[in-house]
Amino acid sequence: MLAFILRRLMQSIGVLFAMSLLVFIGVYAIGNPVDILVNPNADQQDIARAIAELGLDQPLHLQYWQFLSNALSGDLGRSFSTGIPALELIFQRMPATLELAAVSMLIAIALGIPLGLYAGLRPSSRLSKAIMAGSILGFSLPTFWVGLMLIMVFSVWLGWLPPTGRGDTVELFGVPVSFLTLDGWSHLLMPATNLALFNLALLVRLTRAGTREVMLQDYIRFARAKGLSDGRIVGVHVLKNILIPIVTIVGLEFGSVIAFAVVTESIFAWPGMGKLLIDSINQLDRPVIVAYVLLIVLMFVLINLVVDVLYSLLDPRIRLADAGGAR
Amino acid sequence: MPSMRRAIATAALLLAAATCLSTLPATTARAQELTIGLSAAITSMDPHFHNLSPNNNVMEHLYETLVAKDGSYRLRPGLAESWRTIDELTWEFRLRKGVRFHDGTEFTAADVVASLRRAPSVPKSPSSFGIYTRQIAEVQVVDPFTLRIRTKTPYPLLPNDLSTIYVVSAKHEKASTEDFNAGRAVNGTGPWRFVRWQLDDRIELARNEAYWGPKPAWERVVLRILAKDPTRVAALLAGDVRAIENVPTADIARLALNKELTLARGISNRFIYLHMDSARDRSPFVADATGKPLDRNPLKDVRVRRAMSMAINRQAIADKVMEGAAVPTGQLLPPGLFGHVPGLRPPAFDPDGARRLLAEAGYPDGFTITLHAPNDRYVNDEQVAQAVAGMLSKVGIRTRVEAMPSAVFFSRANNLEFSFLLAGWGAATGEASSSLRSLLSTFDREKGLGVSNRGRYSNPKVDQLTDRGLATMNDAAREKLFQAATEAAMADVGLIPLYHQVGVWGMRRGVGYSARTDEATWAHEFRLEK
């Protein structure tokens, strides 16, 4: 297993290298950051100074070489627009996004799997049909619209929840978190729900489909014939057997929720890192874009690794091996 | 058995319901605290790092300049009580006595000297303040409260330039941008003290009780960054913030009806204009009626440019597309600013006249052109471009709009890749030379002229008048020259001005604000009302 993990990490270095090159060339092709960053009143002399100050007067391959040699010592460069190291910028925002993503995944799991189970166990009940109809809405309503509606209803009309921001934070091991204060929760609830809706719907459908399929299996019938309680059948035999696709989806979705929470973060003015990415792209702030993309690639590599390890724990028949090998 | 299954299903549902339970907040804003929603993030707490309007807007809370400007850009005493010219090159500034920095040290001439040294030389600055200190040859301290500044050439705009340089205390001259970002070095003389800055989220300020000027009405201020338009409006409606800037045009009518809210509107110094490639013999995006590239560039002909200006119904754009948040204009500055030409109006909307002019210029069938515009830079920029295109097409100039993010647009526009473009300009110094130099002067790298002249318009008369104005120390004579330059450029249609934006602020009842021409949102100018 250790060899497997090491080999996986080695492969990811190649991916990181390719990604950094792609982003470098991509941003270069879009435009010159100085055209955005410089004050419109600056004259030619000052524009030339800014270009030199940001190192953009060098040819692209030299800029990339400079980046690579700095990256090896852990320095991914400083943001063009703020002068703050790109990694520092990202790590400053990361706790907010991780918290939002984690709470939204928890909501999705804690609601999605029970609702899906219910709908799978009693497919013809009226409630199940309502759940399934609701899940279609969860899929198809655009996030930004739902977010705005939530704000309209709960903040503007009812005045129950604050519409924007993160609220009071408390330091937990030096990291500011919202979920330990009441005010923090009131700020967290709407954006997390908004972010959870899609995955909630996904999990409901996945769980229901899995449950219905597994309920027809011989081993369920056998277990029932053996006189096992319903609780044990559902809790052990059904749940464990439907969990593999669910774990995969939860893992991958957790990654994308972290990386692409940007719509929700923008609407609720949540100071997370998704907003940072969009702002950086709008300003062609290359060091931040590169660092962000590299970090996200790394995160997906790790999540996939965790998912693979979880597989082998859930199903002893699965052995960890590389993609080419037997699975 | 079925009952057991039902129990499990019910338990599953209960679990789901339990997750839904919410907590209710009970946060109400205290009377002495003001939270304002701003529309753009700032990039640094270093007042000399990035010459960018959102940054400068926040810096105005913490720092002051020698020369201050009021809501209509008129210069007034700031940290300098008075100033005068001694000869053509030398200015004397008398500094205000009894002003203290937030840390208690007294403000003297040494702080000004240090700030003038620091402002142009911050490392890694993406846009420096050097453009405003470049004319300074020498700074001489006569006594702790008298300062003489010599310029390289006769330079009447020195007070305007100094109105942009924030004065930091001398002991922080060598402080790094990191020191400022961490708050360690934030030490100004302004009406607010620094409390906390969270990038892209909020700036928290506390009233400077030792401020020499009028005290703000609020003890604490939180400036929240709410970049998304609907979010900012929702925050105001929900009472999460008590004031916002840049009310989106689509919401103005609705908010004006809301009894809980008041709106403040004022014309802005920013104007939206069209620039035409009037220099090249062949222009990349101009073609004849069939789409074949034209051999000669019709935009070089002043009759064609005038016809385009006449074909545009500015009032309709202001009323319909901008929902009233725009004032049609035929020149560079709104009324009241230095260099505005009284009575200079845009040509009347006259599509028939435009068609006649086009025929006279040799284009009875018109031509085809692409109008390039940003789609995330100015209020309703893409929609305005579409409206202009529709109006031009009606007189035979078939216009296609290509809108793009400003990250792409400005690079391409500066590389002269376009034939016809829509852009905006805010006169940062609050007087005409800013627009004349950048937009209408002949492009000249050495002299620093025509930087944003993306049509490469060139008119010796405009150049000469602008040049003379920039060297004329007498205010009245200089204004006359700038007015003459503006008139010459407008008669020659060097660019087509469309309208001035109207800035709109929204406040909860009990908070008042007077709109500023420079679009600035200053917490200390918000009033507590009944």
Side-chain angles (χ1 to χ4, degrees):
Chain A
M1 186 142 125
L2 190 67
F4 168 79
I5 292 174
L6 277 180
R7 209 171 307 135
R8 266 295 184 82
L9 290 180
M10 293 292 283
Q11 286 168 358
S12 65
I13 290 176
V15 178
L16 290 177
F17 184 78
M19 280 311 291
S20 68
L21 192 62
L22 273 179
V23 174
F24 238 77
I25 296 172
V27 175
Y28 183 79
I30 295 175
N32 183 353
V34 172
D35 287 324
I36 310 281
L37 293 172
V38 86
N39 188 296
N41 288 285
D43 59 15
Q44 290 88 338
Q45 188 188 337
D46 196 58
I47 293 172
R49 187 209 56 82
I51 290 177
E53 199 68 45
L54 299 178
L56 295 167
D57 51 342
Q58 307 281 330
L60 188 65
H61 63 273
L62 281 186
Q63 292 181 38
Y64 186 63
W65 179 246
Q66 183 74 39
F67 162 78
L68 274 189
S69 35
N70 288 341
L72 287 181
S73 57
D75 173 12
L76 292 184
R78 280 168 182 268
S79 152
F80 290 155
S81 67
T82 64
I84 299 172
L87 281 179
E88 189 186 320
L89 275 181
I90 296 173
F91 286 134
Q92 255 176 22
R93 319 290 188 81
M94 205 178 233
T97 296
L98 285 181
E99 185 176 25
L100 181 64
V103 172
S104 100
M105 273 331 267
L106 280 180
I107 293 178
I109 293 169
L111 287 173
I113 295 183
L115 290 176
L117 263 181
Y118 180 90
L121 292 173
R122 305 173 57 102
S124 49
S125 88
R126 206 172 278 171
L127 188 58
S128 299
K129 285 184 179 138
I131 292 171
M132 296 321 287
S135 78
I136 292 175
L137 288 184
F139 268 123
S140 46
L141 293 179
T143 322
F144 72 89
W145 185 82
V146 176
L148 288 176
M149 285 303 115
L150 285 174
I151 292 181
M152 277 316 284
V153 173
F154 291 102
S155 302
V156 178
W157 290 344
L158 298 174
W160 289 357
L161 295 170
T164 57
R166 211 180 160 193
D168 296 340
T169 54
V170 177
E171 300 261 317
L172 184 70
F173 309 118
V175 178
V177 294
S178 300
F179 72 92
L180 292 178
T181 65
L182 202 62
D183 184 52
W185 266 107
S186 70
H187 281 86
L188 194 50
L189 202 67
M190 270 200 300
T193 308
N194 191 40
L195 197 56
L197 277 185
F198 180 85
N199 291 321
L200 173 61
L202 196 64
L203 284 179
V204 164
R205 300 193 82 87
L206 216 61
T207 313
R208 174 182 177 269
T211 309
R212 294 207 62 187
E213 195 182 317
V214 167
M215 287 306 281
L216 303 174
Q217 295 292 323
D218 287 345
Y219 57 81
I220 299 291
R221 253 180 244 165
F222 183 73
R224 196 159 282 158
K226 221 170 92 178
L228 291 187
S229 72
D230 254 14
R232 189 165 168 80
I233 291 176
V234 174
V236 177
H237 298 281
V238 174
L239 214 50
K240 198 166 175 185
N241 280 294
I242 62 171
L243 227 43
I244 285 201
I246 290 177
V247 166
T248 317
I249 291 295
V250 166
L252 288 180
E253 284 298 314
F254 186 59
S256 41
V257 161
I258 292 174
F260 310 112
V262 49
V263 176
T264 298
E265 285 182 3
S266 303
I267 288 176
F268 292 93
W270 187 263
M273 55 183 205
K275 258 174 76 189
L276 177 69
L277 178 67
I278 292 298
D279 293 344
S280 305
I281 291 174
N282 283 335
Q283 297 199 316
L284 300 177
D285 200 338
R286 191 184 65 207
V288 181
I289 307 176
V290 173
Y292 190 95
V293 170
L294 293 189
L295 221 61
I296 294 301
V297 170
L298 200 65
M299 190 183 72
F300 270 97
V301 169
L302 289 180
I303 287 178
N304 275 322
L305 200 63
V306 171
V307 167
D308 281 348
V309 172
L310 276 182
Y311 276 177
S312 70
L313 296 181
L314 280 173
D315 186 344
R317 289 171 303 178
I318 297 176
R319 301 266 304 274
L320 289 179
D322 283 326
R327 226 188 217 175
Chain B
M1 283 294 260
S3 67
M4 188 64 200
R5 205 180 298 167
R6 185 179 300 145
I8 292 172
T10 315
L13 261 187
L14 275 178
L15 181 60
T19 330
C20 279
L21 279 181
S22 65
T23 50
L24 305 184
T27 42
T28 44
R30 278 173 293 161
Q32 282 295 294
E33 183 173 306
L34 178 66
T35 308
I36 304 174
L38 300 182
S39 58
I42 68 168
T43 59
S44 180
M45 284 310 291
D46 181 339
H48 303 141
F49 176 73
H50 198 172
N51 179 15
L52 188 76
S53 342
N55 285 33
N56 298 344
N57 183 51
V58 170
M59 293 310 146
E60 291 280 352
H61 292 78
L62 300 158
Y63 297 94
E64 290 177 290
T65 48
L66 281 184
V67 178
K69 38 187 189 288
D70 67 12
S72 318
Y73 266 113
R74 280 182 297 265
L75 301 181
R76 57 180 169 81
L79 287 175
E81 270 179 332
S82 65
W83 54 90
R84 64 189 177 107
T85 49
I86 291 178
D87 57 51
E88 285 241 300
L89 296 178
T90 315
W91 295 71
E92 186 174 272
F93 291 84
R94 295 211 157 270
L95 307 188
R96 195 176 293 278
K97 290 180 183 153
V99 176
R100 293 194 176 275
F101 283 97
H102 297 157
D103 69 353
T105 50
E106 195 180 18
F107 158 76
T108 64
D111 301 308
V112 181
V113 177
S115 304
L116 288 175
R117 264 201 304 260
R118 187 176 189 277
S121 54
V122 177
K124 297 275 173 207
S125 161
S127 184
S128 111
F129 284 85
I131 42 172
Y132 300 122
T133 56
R134 193 172 293 153
Q135 292 295 331
I136 298 175
E138 193 196 348
V139 184
Q140 190 193 352
V141 177
V142 180
D143 64 55
F145 295 100
T146 313
L147 202 67
R148 284 196 184 159
I149 297 179
R150 275 172 59 81
T151 57
K152 292 172 183 161
T153 54
Y155 187 64
L157 295 179
L158 185 70
N160 298 74
D161 282 7
L162 290 179
S163 75
T164 64
I165 304 289
Y166 298 106
V167 176
V168 301
S169 74
K171 69 173 144 187
H172 291 123
E173 183 190 343
K174 298 276 182 261
S176 65
T177 299
E178 280 82 15
D179 293 331
F180 280 93
N181 285 348
R184 288 188 293 272
V186 180
N187 181 27
T189 58
W192 302 95
R193 292 163 174 274
F194 175 81
V195 176
R196 193 163 80 98
W197 173 47
Q198 205 180 341
L199 188 71
D200 271 4
D201 184 43
R202 63 181 60 218
I203 301 117
E204 292 179 18
L205 307 169
R207 182 162 67 194
N208 174 10
E209 301 294 347
Y211 185 55
W212 61 268
K215 288 240 173 70
W218 319 90
E219 272 171 19
R220 289 177 62 83
V221 157
V222 183
L223 305 173
R224 297 269 317 271
I225 311 299
L226 301 170
K228 274 258 174 298
D229 285 344
T231 307
R232 205 162 57 249
V233 172
L236 179 71
L237 286 172
D240 209 29
V241 300
R242 292 173 76 184
I244 59 170
E245 62 176 8
N246 289 338
V247 174
T249 52
D251 290 315
I252 293 174
R254 193 165 57 93
L255 296 194
L257 291 177
N258 190 325
K259 292 213 165 45
E260 291 299 311
L261 306 177
T262 55
L263 296 182
R265 303 174 215 219
I267 191 164
S268 140
N269 69 337
R270 189 191 301 282
F271 82 116
I272 303 294
Y273 63 91
L274 306 169
H275 235 145
M276 298 135 291
D277 176 3
S278 52
R280 287 178 286 194
D281 290 330
R282 296 181 72 158
S283 201
F285 285 98
V286 186
D288 67 8
T290 61
K292 202 162 70 51
L294 278 178
D295 291 339
R296 60 187 174 129
N297 175 3
L299 303 172
K300 285 184 83 170
D301 189 327
V302 63
R303 288 169 298 186
V304 173
R305 301 203 295 267
R306 189 168 301 133
M308 292 166 86
S309 188
M310 284 160 66
I312 296 169
N313 187 347
R314 292 172 173 78
Q315 195 61 49
I317 293 178
D319 292 344
K320 299 286 165 14
V321 187
M322 294 296 291
E323 315 244 2
V327 177
T329 185
Q331 54 178 307
L332 312 171
L333 292 173
L337 268 68
F338 187 91
H340 170 85
V341 188
L344 177 56
R345 285 179 212 294
F349 170 56
D350 178 8
D352 294 326
R355 266 185 225 105
R356 275 197 301 277
L357 259 180
L358 278 176
E360 196 183 300
Y363 301 96
D365 301 325
F367 51 91
T368 311
I369 197 165
T370 305
L371 171 60
H372 287 89
N375 58 15
D376 56 1
R377 179 65 188 84
Y378 312 105
V379 178
N380 301 341
D381 37 18
E382 185 176 357
Q383 293 90 312
V384 171
Q386 294 289 2
V388 167
M391 292 167 183
L392 290 177
S393 298
K394 285 217 176 92
V395 300
I397 304 173
R398 283 163 302 278
T399 311
R400 206 172 67 86
V401 172
E402 200 177 308
M404 58 194 78
S406 45
V408 181
F409 176 81
F410 286 104
S411 283
R412 291 186 64 189
N414 289 346
N415 288 338
L416 306 184
E417 287 180 32
F418 304 143
S419 295
F420 185 32
L421 61 91
L422 177 142
W425 185 264
T429 52
E431 45 81 57
S433 77
S434 154
S435 332
L436 285 170
R437 287 166 54 113
S438 287
L439 303 179
L440 290 163
S441 291
T442 306
F443 183 83
D444 186 332
R445 205 176 290 279
E446 295 302 308
K447 291 193 194 153
L449 294 174
V451 180
S452 295
N453 184 349
R454 299 174 182 119
R456 289 293 185 263
Y457 174 73
S458 176
N459 181 341
K461 198 174 161 200
V462 175
D463 290 348
Q464 196 215 351
L465 287 165
T466 309
D467 251 16
R468 273 175 54 205
L470 283 169
T472 303
M473 300 297 283
N474 181 294
D475 284 352
R478 183 168 74 254
E479 183 163 21
K480 284 251 158 19
L481 286 164
F482 286 161
Q483 287 169 337
T486 304
E487 281 175 309
M490 292 300 108
D492 197 31
V493 204
L495 53 76
I496 301 178
L498 294 178
Y499 55 84
H500 280 286
Q501 283 184 195
V502 170
V504 185
W505 288 260
M507 281 84 59
R508 307 280 310 175
R509 214 171 45 194
V511 180
Y513 192 62
S514 302
R516 292 182 59 93
T517 312
D518 53 7
E519 300 182 341
T521 304
W522 292 353
H524 37 291
E525 294 195 348
F526 279 87
R527 299 178 299 270
L528 187 59
E529 285 172 354
K530 275 198 290 162

